[in-house]
Amino acid sequence: MTNFAAAGYLLEGQQERSLNGEVQTRYNLSDASGKPAVLFVVRKGDELVYAFGKAK
């Protein structure tokens, strides 16, 4: 999250849930011009996967 903040993305909200031993976290972000973006992080044990997307 620190790197996204340094890149100009502000945290608008956060949702977290646990499912079958995974912790899934969705971060709703926006850039300096107000365009929405999302960071989705899935953690299970020592594994971590993430995806990032933003509006065009």
Side-chain angles (χ1 to χ4, degrees), residues 4-52:
F4 283 99
Y9 289 95
L10 302 174
L11 181 62
E12 298 289 326
Q14 172 181 334
Q15 301 169 344
E16 185 171 286
R17 69 178 183 167
S18 295
L19 181 66
N20 297 328
E22 292 181 345
V23 178
Q24 302 173 352
T25 308
R26 177 187 171 123
Y27 298 96
N28 296 317
L29 309 168
S30 64
D31 66 11
S33 65
K35 291 183 182 176
V38 66
L39 172 63
F40 190 68
V41 180
V42 178
R43 297 181 308 269
K44 185 173 185 178
D46 292 338
E47 299 177 354
L48 179 118
V49 178
Y50 67 92
F52 176 74

